[in-house]
Amino acid sequence: MSRRLAIGIDIGGTKVAGGVVDETGAITHRTRRDTPHRSTSPSVVENTIVESVEELLRQVDPDDVVAVGIGAAGFVAEDRATVVFAPHLSWRNEPLRAALSQRIHLPITVDNDANAAAWAEACFGAARGESHVVVITLGTGIGGALIIDGHVERGRHGIAGEFGHMQIMPGGIRCECGNRGCWEQYASGNALVREARAMIEAGSPVVADLLARLGGDAAALTGPFITEAAREGDPTARELLADIGEWLGIGLANLASAFDPGLFVIGGGVSAADEMLIGPAREAFRRQLPGRGYRPEARIVRAVLGSDAGLIGAAELARAGR
Ligand SMILES: [Zn+2]
């Protein structure tokens, strides 16, 4: 009996990760390339995708592969064929599916990377069995996706789930989107590093231990470094993560008001801080939730598929024709 495999390609800011994914969500073969620089032409990115797919097809019986799913950071139009805007790439209204269909002779679907990651968690990960889920990806910024009634809710124009740019603090910190006070300026990896640097620049004595760990080089500070220090018991690093977690919980309470999910799944690099982040988020969520005591409370859990979620979900969306 033939298998029904799918290829998933996840196009991130630095890496194009590809894999063959089976019906259980397991990755059987992998490939990885650098993301072409955003100054290169759209065809260079297409070449990278085609080369990844061809390499993977050589490693399996090509007759077993039924579809190819592409996940990309950016706005994907409701036709699931056109990338309207991708911040890391030169794509602007790029007819990606049409261009790839001339070179890859399999059904192709295109989706936003956060939608793909959410679908992977819904099918194989932390959100299995839940019909209404909000998935938050905490990286340098905040990505998001919605599962409503068991399907990915993409919105009228394909770009629902851009939660990172909800305004959470009028007149607040300037965001690269042009507005002020966006959620991702308060509850992301960038916010974590910015706050730690601000404490260092202010000469606060409480960051002395953290600075000593860095060998005195404040520029070397990163989100993973802060998480590691917190895990080893550094009180300032723990406090910084708790602050981010509190902002996270406030935003989640807003999303609960809008969507009434049964579950929030928190993924992305910052979620490695696990309970040091999610514990304070749960507390702030409870305090902030409108009608608390009278409404069932959504659970808040960490994603389980890690950085593979995007490619697994892209493959599964394509395989299942969703
Ligand atoms: Zn913004």
Side-chain angles (χ1 to χ4, degrees), residues 139-151:
T140 53
I142 297 180
L146 281 171
I147 308 277
I148 302 284
D149 254 341
H151 72 268

Side-chain angles (χ1 to χ4, degrees), residues 164-167 173-185:
H165 300 285
M166 301 188 305
Q167 192 185 51
I173 295 165
R174 179 74 74 182
C175 183
E176 55 193 70
C177 75
N179 294 332
R180 282 184 182 277
C182 293
W183 191 25
E184 73 173 31
Q185 293 303 319

Side-chain angles (χ1 to χ4, degrees), residues 5-7 19-20 29 31 50-68 103-106:
L5 304 173
I7 287 175
V20 177
H29 299 80
T31 175
V50 172
E51 285 163 18
S52 297
V53 171
E54 286 173 346
E55 182 191 325
L56 291 164
L57 284 172
R58 282 194 295 273
Q59 296 177 54
V60 295
D61 180 347
D63 290 339
D64 286 346
V65 178
V66 297
V68 174
R103 303 172 64 185
I104 299 170
H105 302 290
L106 284 164

